[in-house]
Each structure stands twice: as structure tokens, then as C-alpha cells.
């Protein structure tokens, strides 16, 4: 009965030493002297303030992307015991002793390190050789721009990690589909694909490009499943439902989870409150909540209120008046919006015109006719009785005679709903006079409300997401900004950090051998793909069907990954920097060894040609390693450079800034 105890329990495992070595080298290149420099480096000044907000539970709004990336950086600070007390106001400022620099930079560094073995796995899952996979991983390992970006408290390396994880997970799922569909392994990789896609979008909005790419490839594969005559209708339906649940429903739920945790953590009022609605502000601890706590809910005749415009752009606007007048007293047209009417308080300066001070109140968000005007919760619109003009915030600042305050007008031709025409009450009281006190008694101790309990998570999420998408970012020109065309030609770089006393410095710049080769590989793939496609149309198949499908899939994910992460930037009206190109570059790097292996296996006809081509590839890789090592001082910034050394590193005219300093 206990015979199985007579023999030892044996466990066998296969260990890929390539993966172990690549992971170790990735960790070494990204973690070595990670806490150096112990100073704020470039955009660390931007992300650091949000980490401090998380540590202090203060609400903030960042229009650059969803909160998941910020939360990951804050997690590093939390694990390192950071209390949030540091003034993030200057690039190059020395970190105080309470700032755990190594811990704050750890997660981006780990993401960059793990991207190295992940590149290996992706090329292997595409069906290419260990040599090609190792080449892809080594190129990711030695690329200077990827090293620099992953060693700092920045998000691009984390975005690249989840982009690659999404692609790798889908490839493993797709390969499992061929052997054991609906097995635990099949489900694991399918679910992980959806989670990784959601994480990529949760890091930065540009992560949606890789998500759409994966969805597109999955849709093509699903189309093939529908056409598979060996599967029953029920089986096909199960496949489609599983993909829809894991790749559409699950990412949405995970994305909502990011915001739920974000709002759960940040419950205190902060400097970004005013861009949010009054109801949102009142749901936060402190700030407006301290003013509105316990105030009457229902607005009635005789109430004293403050009115805030719901739109809140370009800055928050409250309706008010003062003794200063317009230059033309009561012209019909608004001073800066001539298509609209001027709005002003009426004071008779011997002007022979009757007062037109009657306005009709419309409750925009009332659910029934019995709903009354409520503090904070009700959104109202004011319609002028005589002219039917709607009180509207034009958003245009008045000249100096108007103290640069925002213009409020009467919009006569307005149709439909817009937040600029909607107002809500923030502060409310019934007044202190005897008559008003009697009025308050008539209302039988008016109801008071806790706004935080009446604003649901979905309402807060919807408002926060909308504000993040519509908030105006600073589009001013930056001395290190660049265009998408500059990225491909590597005609730009960014000075991340300069030592205050020596010539040691850190720059974001790429390995010109890798960047140029990756661009040529993308062009070569496109030409070969079109050539093969034309010949297949003529019934000439240069590649067997399995290798053709492998070639197409590699192009869809690698060349397609480059295209969807690069081309949209031509349409973006925002300040762009070189680091925006790094996700696209990573996909290009994956394509490079794929193209080289294809040329060696299918275009080199003889053994001599293959030998010569292999020698050229070895020489090319050696030059890439040499350039990477040459740029090492500017990648790690760990030693000063002389003017002659800086001049030797010059690449085109963009390096002039390195020389002018000396």
C-alpha cells in the first residue's frame, strides 16, 4: 500500500540557459548602480510629484495617461518607505535622505530587464531559430536608449514590457490553440493577454495601439476558426465567446479596477480639485467638502448661493459681479463674442432702457418633474425670458479692463447641451436676516446631504476619465522636442542630466547602428512581402505554406507593431520627444533578426553565400556592440567626459549642445 514510498520522488525540468543568461545580463545592465545619479533626472520631476500625492493620499489629475503607471511607481516608493516629503520643482535637484531612489527606480528597471528574455521568447514563439531569438534579445539588451529609459523613474520601459507581454501571451495562446484548446494552459495565456493589454492601456493611452493590433490579429484567427469545418457550431461559439470575454470584457473590467484603486487611495482634496465638478470636489476630504458640509440641500426663494460653471475650462469660473463696468455700457453684442449678447448686472446710469433681469431656471439633469433645485447635485441652465438667450461661459478672457476674467455671454442661437451653458450651486445658505430665518423654519429644517455617499464610482470614473481626455496639456515648444521624422533618422537626443560640478551627464540617444539597421529591415520586409504576394498571385509560391504564414504573422506583429506605435504620432498635436519612439523601435528590433534569418535561409543560394552573409552579420553586430560601449558614459553618466571625448561621440548637428557647454 505504501510501496510508492520505497522510491524517491523525482522531478525533472528543462532549463533554457539562453533565457537564464539573457535575464541575468538584462538585470545587470538595468540594475547596476541604479541609485546613481542621486538627483532628479528629466521627467522624474514630473512623475515624482504624483508619487508624493499617492503617499499623502491627495487627489490629482494627469491628462497624459490613466493612473496604473503612476500607481506602479508609487508602489516602489511605498515599498521603500517614502513619505512623500520632497519638493519636486527642479531637474537636477539632489534627493534628500528620505527619498528611496533605488526603490523608486526599481520597477521600471525590472520591466526593462525582463523585456530582454521576453524578446527572445517572442521570436521563438513566432517559429524562428534560437539564433534569431538570441539576436533579438541581445539587441534589446545593448540598445542605449532602452537602457537609459529603463534606469529612471519613467514609464516607457513599463509600457514596452506590457506591450511585449501582450504579444507574447497571445502567441503562446495561439500556439496552444493548435494542440489543446480550452486547456488550463490555453485559458491562462488567453486571460493573460487581456490583462496585459489592459495594463498597457493603463500605463499610457498610446498602449491602445498595441491592444488594437492584438485584437486585429485575434479577429483574423477567429475568422479562421469560424471557417474550420472540423468544429461544431457550439464549439465555434465557445471559441468566440472565450475570446470576447478575455480580450474585450476582461480588459475593460481591469481598466475600471485601476481607477477604482486610484480613487480609493486618493480621498483627500488637492491642487487639482478645481477642474472637477462641485459634486466630485465635495466627495473629497477637505477642500470644498469643509465648506459645504452640513449646508442645506434644497435651493429656495431667498437662498444665497455661489454659482459655478460646469465646463470649468480653460480655468474654473464662478458667476459674480463688481462695480466695474463695460467700456460701452450695455452694448447689445458681447465684447469678445459679437454673435452673442452682453450680460451684465443692471444699474441705471441715466440710461433710458427698461431692466431685463428675468431669467428662467431649467434643471438639466432632473429625473422627474417633481425634482427640485439641489445644492451641488443639480445642473441648471439660465434662459433669459425676453430674448431666450442662454447664459454661457465663452471661455475667452476679457482685456485688462475686465481684469482678464472669463467672458460670460447670452448665447441666442445655441442648440443642444454643452457644459459651458450649465451651472451648479456650490455654497448655499438661507441667510441671517429675520425674514430668511422665518423662511428656513417654513422649510421645516431643510434636508442636509452627504455628497460623498450620493456620487457613485461610475459617476466619479466617468467624470475623471472625461477630464483626463479633455484637459488641455502644455503644448509649448521644448528645446528637446522633436518630430517623428527626427526619430527614424536619429536626428535628435535629450540631455537628461548634467552633473553640477563635472562633465558627467546622461543623454537619451540611440545606437545608430541598431536604429538604421532596424529601419532598413522594416523596408526590406515590406519589399519582400509585396514581392512574394505578387508572385503568389501568379501561382508562384517561393515559400511553403507554413513558412509563408509564419512570415506573415511575424510581419503583422513586428512590422505592424512598429507602424501602429509610430505613424499615429504624425497626427498628434502635442509636444513630442524621442522617448515616444521607443515602443515602436522595440518592435522594429524584433523584426531585424527575423529578416536576417529569412535572407540567410531563403535568399542565399549557396553555402558560400551563407558563409559570407554570416560573416557580414557578425561584423555588423560587433559594430553595434562597439557603438553601444562607446556611448556607455552618456547612458550611465558614471564618469566625466573631456571635450575631445564629447566631440568624438558627436552624431550630426544635434550633438552641438554637448560641445557648446565646454
Amino acid at each position: 500500500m505504501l510501496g510508492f514510498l520505497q522510491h524517491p520522488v523525482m522531478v525533472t525540468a528543462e532549463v533554457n540557459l539562453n533565457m537564464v543568461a539573457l535575464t541575468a545580463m538584462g538585470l545587470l545592465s538595468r540594475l547596476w548602480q541604479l541609485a546613481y545619479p542621486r538627483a532628479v533626472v528629466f521627467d522624474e520631476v514630473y512623475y515624482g510629484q504624483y508619487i508624493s500625492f499617492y503617499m499623502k493620499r491627495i487627489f490629482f489629475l494627469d491628462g497624459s495617461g490613466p493612473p496604473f503607471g503612476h500607481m506602479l511607481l508609487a508602489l516602489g516608493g511605498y515599498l521603500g518607505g517614502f513619505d512623500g516629503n520632497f519638493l519636486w520643482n527642479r531637474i537636477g535637484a539632489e534627493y534628500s535622505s528620505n527619498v528611496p531612489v533605488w526603490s523608486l527606480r526599481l520597477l521600471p528597471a525590472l520591466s526593462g530587464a525582463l523585456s530582454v528574455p521576453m524578446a527572445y521568447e517572442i521570436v521563438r514563439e513566432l517559429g524562428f531559430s534560437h539564433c534569431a531569438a538570441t539576436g533579438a534579445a541581445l539587441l534589446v539588451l545593448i540598445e542605449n536608449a532602452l537602457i537609459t529609459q529603463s534606469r529612471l523613474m519613467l514609464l516607457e520601459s513599463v509600457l514596452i514590457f506590457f506591450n511585449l507581454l501582450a504579444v507574447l501571451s497571445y502567441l503562446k495562446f495561439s500556439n496552444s490553440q493548435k494542440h489543446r484548446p480550452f486547456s488550463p494552459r490555453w485559458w491562462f495565456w488567453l486571460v493573460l493577454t487581456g490583462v496585459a493589454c489592459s495594463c498597457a492601456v493603463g500605463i499610457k493611452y498610446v498602449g491602445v495601439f498595441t491592444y488594437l493590433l492584438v485584437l486585429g490579429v485575434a479577429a483574423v484567427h477567429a475568422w479562421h476558426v469560424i471557417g474550420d469545418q472540423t468544429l461544431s457550431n457550439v464549439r465555434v461559439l465557445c471559441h468566440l465567446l472565450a475570446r470576447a470575454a478575455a480580450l474585450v470584457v476582461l480588459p475593460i473590467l481591469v481598466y475600471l479596477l485601476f481607477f477604482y484603486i486610484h480613487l480609493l487611495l486618493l480621498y483627500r482634496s488637492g491642487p487639482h480639485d478645481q477642474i472637477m465638478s462641485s459634486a466630485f470636489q465635495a466627495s473629497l476630504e477637505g477642500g470644498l467638502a469643509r465648506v459645504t458640509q452640513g449646508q442645506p440641500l434644497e435651493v429656495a426663494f431667498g437662498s444665497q448661493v455661489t454659482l459655478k460653471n460646469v465646463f470649468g475650462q480653460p480655468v474654473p469660473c464662478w458667476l459674480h459681479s463688481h462695480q466695474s463696468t463695460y467700456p460701452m455700457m450695455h452694448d447689445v453684442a458681447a465684447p469678445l463674442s459679437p454673435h452673442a449678447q452682453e450680460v451684465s448686472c443692471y444699474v441705471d446710469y441715466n440710461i433710458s432702457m427698461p431692466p431685463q433681469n428675468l431669467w428662467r431656471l431649467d434643471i438639466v439633469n432632473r429625473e422627474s418633474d417633481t425634482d427640485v433645485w439641489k445644492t451641488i447635485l443639480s445642473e441648471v441652465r439660465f434662459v433669459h425670458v425676453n430674448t431666450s438667450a442662454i447664459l454661457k461661459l465663452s471661455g475667452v478672457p476679457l482685456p485688462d479692463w475686465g481684469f482678464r476674467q472669463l467672458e460670460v455671454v447670452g448665447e441666442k442661437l445655441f442648440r443642444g447641451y454643452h457644459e459651458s451653458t450649465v451651472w451648479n450651486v456650490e455654497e448655499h445658505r438661507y441667510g441671517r436676516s429675520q425674514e430668511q430665518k422665518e423662511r428656513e423654519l417654513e422649510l421645516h429644517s431643510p434636508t442636509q446631504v452627504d455628497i460623498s455617499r450620493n456620487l457613485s464610482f461610475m459617476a466619479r470614473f466617468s467624470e475623471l476619465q472625461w477630464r483626463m481626455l479633455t484637459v488641455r496639456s502644455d503644448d509649448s515648444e521644448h528645446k528637446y522636442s522633436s518630430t517623428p521624422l527626427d526619430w527614424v533618422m536619429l536626428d535628435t537626443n535629450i540631455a537628461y542630466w548634467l552633473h553640477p560640478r563635472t562633465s558627467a551627464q546622461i543623454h537619451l540617444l540611440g545606437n545608430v547602428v541598431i536604429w538604421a539597421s532596424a529601419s532598413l529591415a522594416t523596408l526590406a520586409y515590406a519589399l519582400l512581402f509585396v514581392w512574394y504576394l505578387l508572385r503568389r498571385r501568379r501561382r508562384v509560391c517561393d515559400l511553403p505554406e507554413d513558412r509563408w504564414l509564419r512570415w506573415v504573422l511575424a510581419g503583422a506583429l513586428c512590422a505592424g507593431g512598429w507602424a501602429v506605435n509610430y505613424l499615429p504620432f504624425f497626427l498628434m498635436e502635442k509636444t513630442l520627444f524621442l522617448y515616444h519612439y521607443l515602443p515602436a523601435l522595440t518592435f522594429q528590433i524584433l523584426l531585424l533578426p527575423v529578416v536576417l534569418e529569412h535572407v540567410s535561409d531563403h535568399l542565399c543560394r549557396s553555402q558560400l553565400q551563407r558563409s559570407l552573409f554570416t560573416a557580414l552579420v557578425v561584423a555588423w553586430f560587433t559594430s553595434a556592440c562597439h557603438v553601444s560601449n562607446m556611448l556607455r558614459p552618456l547612458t550611465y553618466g558614471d564618469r566625466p567626459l573631456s571635450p575631445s571625448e564629447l566631440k568624438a561621440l558627436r552624431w550630426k548637428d544635434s550633438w552641438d549642445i554637448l560641445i557648446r557647454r565646454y
Side-chain angles (χ1 to χ4, degrees):
M1 181 175 178
L2 300 178
F4 70 94
L5 295 178
Q6 297 178 0
H7 303 282
V9 178
M10 305 295 293
V11 177
T12 59
E14 294 183 358
V15 178
N16 188 331
L17 295 182
N18 283 15
M19 286 280 290
V20 174
L22 289 170
T23 303
M25 289 188 291
L27 291 171
L28 179 63
S29 65
R30 271 63 175 179
L31 296 179
W32 185 75
Q33 289 191 350
L34 187 60
Y36 178 86
R38 194 173 174 82
V40 180
V41 180
F42 202 63
D43 274 353
E44 287 187 340
V45 72
Y46 172 76
Y47 292 109
Q49 59 181 321
Y50 298 132
I51 295 176
S52 290
F53 286 146
Y54 273 115
M55 297 299 105
K56 298 179 180 180
R57 303 295 190 264
I58 296 176
F59 172 79
F60 69 88
L61 184 147
D62 178 23
S64 67
F68 181 54
H70 301 80
M71 288 193 292
L72 287 179
L73 296 180
L75 176 61
Y78 174 78
L79 295 176
F82 183 41
D83 56 8
N85 291 320
F86 182 77
L87 187 60
W88 307 88
N89 62 347
R90 181 173 60 86
I91 297 176
E94 294 289 329
Y95 283 122
S96 55
S97 59
N98 69 306
V99 181
V101 182
W102 191 89
S103 179
L104 287 170
R105 295 172 178 169
L106 177 60
L107 288 178
L110 289 177
S111 299
L114 295 178
S115 296
V116 175
M118 208 175 302
Y120 174 91
E121 277 292 294
I122 289 175
V123 177
R124 283 295 298 147
E125 290 295 326
L126 285 170
F128 293 90
S129 67
H130 285 282
C131 182
T134 303
L138 290 176
L139 291 175
V140 173
L141 174 70
I142 67 174
E143 168 49 44
N144 298 82
L146 295 180
I147 296 175
T148 300
Q149 200 70 13
S150 62
R151 287 176 48 82
L152 301 171
M153 192 171 54
L154 307 173
L155 289 180
E156 276 66 34
S157 64
V158 187
L159 173 62
I160 291 171
F161 170 81
F162 283 110
N163 281 346
L164 296 182
L165 180 60
V167 172
L168 175 60
S169 300
Y170 183 78
L171 286 173
K172 286 186 173 292
F173 156 75
S174 180
N175 292 333
S176 300
Q177 167 75 18
K178 303 172 185 177
H179 306 293
R180 295 183 59 193
F182 298 102
S183 64
R185 173 186 172 87
W186 184 90
W187 277 109
F188 173 79
W189 291 117
L190 178 60
V191 170
L192 185 58
T193 302
V195 172
C197 288
S198 185
C199 290
V201 179
I203 297 292
K204 286 193 171 185
Y205 289 125
V206 292
V208 75
F209 300 139
T210 300
Y211 178 37
L212 293 177
L213 174 69
V214 173
L215 276 183
V217 175
V220 172
H221 289 172
W223 184 253
H224 292 159
V225 170
I226 294 175
D228 189 349
Q229 297 298 319
T230 63
L231 299 177
S232 66
N233 293 339
V234 174
R235 194 75 167 177
V236 170
L237 180 61
C238 291
H239 275 285
L240 298 180
L241 290 177
R243 286 162 170 78
L247 301 182
V248 178
V249 178
L250 180 61
I252 293 175
L253 295 178
V254 174
Y255 186 77
L256 290 174
L257 178 62
F258 297 151
F259 278 85
Y260 182 82
I261 298 174
H262 175 74
L263 293 172
L264 186 67
L265 292 174
L266 307 183
Y267 58 85
R268 291 175 178 159
S269 174
H272 297 174
D273 291 4
Q274 290 188 348
I275 198 173
M276 308 303 293
S277 70
S278 301
F280 194 103
Q281 293 181 52
S283 69
L284 299 172
E285 181 182 294
L288 182 62
R290 291 186 299 177
V291 178
T292 60
Q293 185 177 9
Q295 69 181 9
L297 174 63
E298 297 180 2
V299 181
F301 181 77
S303 291
Q304 297 178 355
V305 299
T306 60
L307 289 171
K308 180 184 178 184
N309 189 267
V310 173
F311 190 46
Q313 292 188 13
V315 293
C317 176
W318 288 264
L319 192 64
H320 72 285
S321 63
H322 41 66
Q323 293 182 348
S324 300
T325 63
Y326 289 103
M328 303 291 292
M329 186 50 194
H330 207 59
D331 189 12
V332 175
L336 299 180
S337 304
H339 62 281
Q341 286 182 302
E342 177 187 283
V343 176
S344 66
C345 293
Y346 183 80
V347 178
D348 189 359
Y349 288 111
N350 297 321
I351 298 176
S352 58
M353 60 181 299
Q356 300 185 28
N357 51 13
L358 294 179
W359 297 80
R360 186 181 77 247
L361 178 74
D362 291 340
I363 302 178
V364 178
N365 62 340
R366 74 174 2 157
E367 297 179 356
S368 67
D369 293 338
T370 59
D371 284 355
V372 296
W373 189 6
K374 298 177 181 177
T375 303
I376 293 180
L377 299 177
S378 294
E379 296 181 350
V380 299
R381 187 164 55 185
F382 296 94
V383 182
H384 190 239
V385 174
N386 290 32
T387 63
S388 297
I390 299 175
L391 192 67
K392 176 185 177 183
L393 173 67
S394 72
V396 182
L398 294 169
D400 291 338
W401 55 259
F403 312 106
R404 312 302 299 177
Q405 295 175 355
L406 298 182
E407 180 190 45
V408 176
V409 302
E411 182 66 77
K412 293 183 290 186
L413 301 177
F414 188 82
R415 292 185 178 90
Y417 171 88
H418 192 271
E419 288 182 334
S420 61
T421 65
V422 180
W423 306 79
N424 70 268
V425 171
E426 277 199 345
E427 299 180 43
H428 174 214
R429 67 185 182 190
Y430 288 132
R432 297 188 178 91
S433 68
Q434 184 63 31
E435 180 181 353
Q436 289 166 333
K437 291 180 179 178
E438 293 174 358
R439 173 60 175 163
E440 185 171 342
L441 290 175
E442 291 178 8
L443 294 174
H444 306 293
S445 301
T447 307
Q448 299 178 349
V449 65
D450 183 359
I451 300 298
S452 63
R453 296 180 182 177
N454 285 268
L455 199 62
S456 66
F457 161 70
M458 287 306 299
R460 301 177 73 199
F461 162 74
S462 300
E463 179 180 346
L464 178 57
Q465 180 66 91
W466 176 249
R467 297 293 185 191
M468 292 172 67
L469 292 173
T470 57
V471 67
R472 294 184 181 180
S473 58
D474 184 10
D475 294 330
S476 59
E477 195 69 19
H478 192 282
K479 65 178 179 179
Y480 293 120
S481 62
S482 53
T483 66
L485 288 178
D486 295 331
W487 305 340
V488 177
M489 304 303 297
L490 197 53
D491 201 16
T492 181
N493 74 99
I494 304 176
Y496 269 2
W497 173 78
L498 304 176
H499 196 284
R501 292 177 296 277
T502 71
S503 60
Q505 50 199 276
I506 295 176
H507 283 250
L508 179 70
L509 70 164
N511 186 316
V512 64
V513 175
I514 296 177
W515 288 52
S517 302
S519 298
L520 290 175
T522 305
L523 178 61
Y525 178 88
L527 294 175
L528 286 172
F529 179 80
V530 173
W531 172 253
Y532 289 147
L533 202 61
L534 292 174
R535 285 174 61 82
R536 289 176 71 87
R537 185 64 177 168
R538 300 293 298 173
R539 300 293 189 270
V540 179
C541 296
D542 300 284
L543 300 175
E545 189 63 21
D546 60 332
R547 296 195 176 185
W548 165 250
L549 294 177
R550 185 178 69 181
W551 176 251
V552 170
L553 181 60
L557 290 175
C558 299
W562 169 80
V564 300
N565 283 283
Y566 173 60
L567 298 180
F569 285 104
F570 284 95
L571 305 176
M572 295 184 185
E573 297 180 355
K574 57 180 286 187
T575 306
L576 300 175
F577 296 92
L578 180 62
Y579 56 72
H580 287 122
Y581 186 61
L582 296 183
L585 173 70
T586 306
F587 282 103
Q588 261 194 328
I589 291 176
L590 296 181
L591 184 65
L592 179 52
V594 169
V595 172
L596 292 178
E597 181 173 291
H598 181 82
V599 172
S600 176
D601 292 347
H602 299 285
L603 300 184
C604 294
R605 302 296 183 182
S606 65
Q607 185 61 40
L608 177 61
Q609 290 177 336
R610 292 192 182 93
S611 299
L612 291 175
F613 183 76
T614 301
L616 288 175
V617 171
V618 171
W620 162 81
F621 183 75
T622 303
S623 66
C625 293
H626 174 71
V627 171
S628 179
N629 184 65
M630 182 178 66
L631 297 178
R632 183 189 175 282
L634 296 179
T635 301
Y636 291 90
D638 54 352
R639 71 177 181 88
L641 296 171
S642 65
S644 59
E645 288 177 309
L646 289 173
K647 188 174 182 180
L649 293 174
R650 179 177 178 179
W651 168 248
K652 293 191 176 182
D653 294 335
S654 62
W655 287 84
D656 284 344
I657 188 173
L658 301 178
I659 300 173
R660 293 194 194 105
R661 179 179 169 88
Y662 304 99

